[in-house]
Amino acid sequence: PFKRKIDIMPSAMICVQGPSLEINQGAFARFQVTEARSKDLMAYSLGFWLRESRAIGKAFLFDALNVVSKMEFNNYTIGFSYDINISGMAATTRLQGGPELSFSYTGIMNASLGNKKRPYCPTF
C-alpha cells in the first residue's frame, strides 16, 4: 500500500532458455475504484517494465520498454500493453513497437470428477 486505495506493485520475471536470458522488471501503480470490502472489486493499473536480455557470456542489452494499463473487475482483467523498442534496432524500427490486448481470469476453475470437485489443471 502507498496510500488509501493506491498500491505500488513491483514485479520481475526471469526467463532462461539455452544460452539466452531475459529479465523483465517494473511496477504497477494500482488505483482501487471501489471500497476494499466492496462485493464488486474494481481497480485500474498503469505500469512500466524494462526488458533486458543477453546470451550467456555476453553483455546485457536493454531492448524494450513496456507500457501497460489494465482494468480489473472482480476476477477478470482486461489489459493493453505496448512494447517500445529501445535497442540498437530502434533507428530501424523508429521506436515503433507492438500492441497487445489481454484478458485474464484469476481464480479456481472447477472440473467435475464424479461427486468430487477438483481444480482444473492443464496437462501438456
Side-chain angles (χ1 to χ4, degrees), residues 105 107-113 116-124:
Y105 171 79
I108 295 176
M109 297 176 65
N110 290 321
S112 182
L113 183 64
K116 299 180 181 179
K117 294 261 185 176
R118 66 179 178 89
Y120 173 75
C121 299
T123 57
F124 301 96

Side-chain angles (χ1 to χ4, degrees), residues 38-104:
S38 171
K39 180 180 174 185
D40 294 321
L41 170 69
M42 192 172 190
Y44 175 75
S45 299
L46 179 64
F48 296 92
W49 274 262
L50 185 60
R51 181 176 64 216
E52 53 188 313
S53 59
R54 73 177 175 114
I56 293 181
K58 306 275 182 167
F60 274 102
L61 168 69
F62 291 102
D63 65 345
L65 174 66
N66 299 303
V67 180
V68 183
S69 68
K70 66 180 182 176
M71 186 62 133
E72 300 171 56
F73 184 73
N74 292 333
N75 295 4
Y76 300 93
T77 303
I78 187 164
F80 178 78
S81 61
Y82 195 78
D83 184 312
I84 302 167
N85 187 337
I86 60 171
S87 72
M89 294 290 291
T92 304
T93 62
R94 295 185 298 250
L95 294 176
Q96 293 180 356
E100 181 177 291
L101 184 63
S102 63
F103 179 77
S104 61

